[in-house]
Amino acid sequence: GQQLNQSPQSMFIQEGEDVSMNCTSSSIFNTWLWYKQDPGEGPVLLIALYKAGELTSNGRLTAQFGITRKDSFLNISASIPSDVGIYFCAGRRETSGSRLTFGEGTQLTVNP
Amino acid sequence: GAVVSQHPSWVICKSGTSVKIECRSLDFQATTMFWYRQFPKQSLMLMATSNEGSKATYEQGVEKDKFLINHASLTLSTLTVTSAHPEDSSFYICSSGRDGYTFGSGTRLTVV
């Protein structure tokens, strides 16, 4: 199915720095999700967003559901080495039941 | 949250043989589960929606006769890759839970 446009593709940062990544689409979504995937593992849900404008935090992670319902961003503050991994956004359209569309992923590398 | 168990975590098979992958929803009775495929360095692509007691719904381009899905109980869905070929080598991941947002740990299939 159609993928979401996720950027950046990769990021190389120093420990302690803040990170921001986002997803955009030409379609409207009614749910936005952010996942982290470690090598050889399934994705783990970090944050789920259900309403336009919603801003939700999970520890050092903050994500927002865009007002237009066509975008979302994820911020990670004060990064640590274990933040390394691939971050995926995923969205659910109103007309697609529980089926999810995934972004291309952002590979995050944190240098100690 | 939901707990999803996937088995096996990896499998190697010969071309032409069939492989069965199990996805169990351990703490949630799932009428719907989802199967995804992920090629190296790529995102997750939905293959099919597994429906308890009825036929699975396949995404466009996914061969239903090659990827057999059985969802005979509320806690178990199986994906059988029939007559596997090297190009079927991939990471197969299922999801379940109330919204289908919880993923299993994935199965690495290598066809030789």
Side-chain angles (χ1 to χ4, degrees):
Chain A
Q2 177 188 351
Q3 284 191 319
L4 299 171
N5 299 311
Q6 185 172 347
S7 65
Q9 276 191 329
S10 61
M11 301 183 74
F12 297 83
I13 62 171
Q14 292 296 127
E15 183 177 359
E17 291 183 353
D18 297 344
V19 169
S20 184
M21 58 194 78
N22 69 83
C23 273
T24 62
S25 174
S26 56
S27 303
I28 289 176
F29 287 82
N30 61 6
T31 300
W32 284 94
L33 308 166
W34 285 92
Y35 288 89
K36 179 175 184 272
Q37 185 178 30
D38 292 325
E41 298 288 331
V44 174
L45 182 63
L46 300 173
I47 293 179
L49 303 159
Y50 300 102
K51 285 168 35 175
E54 181 180 354
L55 182 71
T56 297
S57 293
N58 177 7
R60 293 178 295 107
L61 279 60
T62 302
Q64 184 157 31
F65 192 139
I67 291 290
T68 65
R69 297 170 63 191
K70 294 182 179 181
D71 64 321
S72 176
F73 72 74
L74 173 71
N75 287 342
I76 304 173
S77 63
S79 59
I80 59 179
S82 61
D83 290 335
V84 165
I86 303 178
Y87 291 80
F88 288 100
C89 64
R92 182 172 75 91
R93 293 190 188 85
E94 207 158 359
T95 55
S96 62
S98 291
R99 291 155 64 228
L100 296 178
T101 300
F102 276 79
E104 299 101 327
T106 296
Q107 171 71 63
L108 177 64
T109 302
V110 180
N111 296 313
Chain B
V3 180
V4 180
S5 173
Q6 198 169 330
H7 178 81
S9 56
W10 61 270
V11 58
I12 301 173
C13 72
K14 292 184 177 180
S15 284
T17 62
S18 296
V19 173
K20 180 186 287 187
I21 302 170
E22 294 184 348
C23 180
R24 294 184 184 274
S25 178
L26 297 183
D27 59 350
F28 179 79
Q29 294 191 318
T31 55
T32 304
M33 301 169 93
F34 301 89
W35 286 97
Y36 292 79
R37 180 168 52 183
Q38 185 180 31
F39 292 107
K41 299 191 184 303
Q42 294 189 22
S43 186
L44 284 77
M45 294 296 289
L46 180 65
M47 297 175 67
T49 303
S50 174
N51 302 301
E52 188 265 336
S54 64
K55 291 182 181 179
T57 307
Y58 290 82
E59 295 299 302
Q60 191 172 7
V62 178
E63 300 174 58
K64 62 181 182 185
D65 295 329
K66 179 167 186 61
F67 299 99
L68 301 179
I69 291 173
N70 183 278
H71 193 155
S73 79
L74 289 171
T75 59
L76 174 63
S77 174
T78 62
L79 169 68
T80 301
V81 183
T82 64
S83 187
H85 292 284
E87 56 265 32
D88 298 324
S89 298
S90 188
F91 193 53
Y92 293 85
I93 322 173
C94 66
S95 73
S96 182
R98 183 170 61 88
D99 297 313
Y101 298 159
T102 302
F103 284 82
S105 55
T107 297
R108 171 72 59 195
L109 170 63
T110 303
V111 184
V112 297

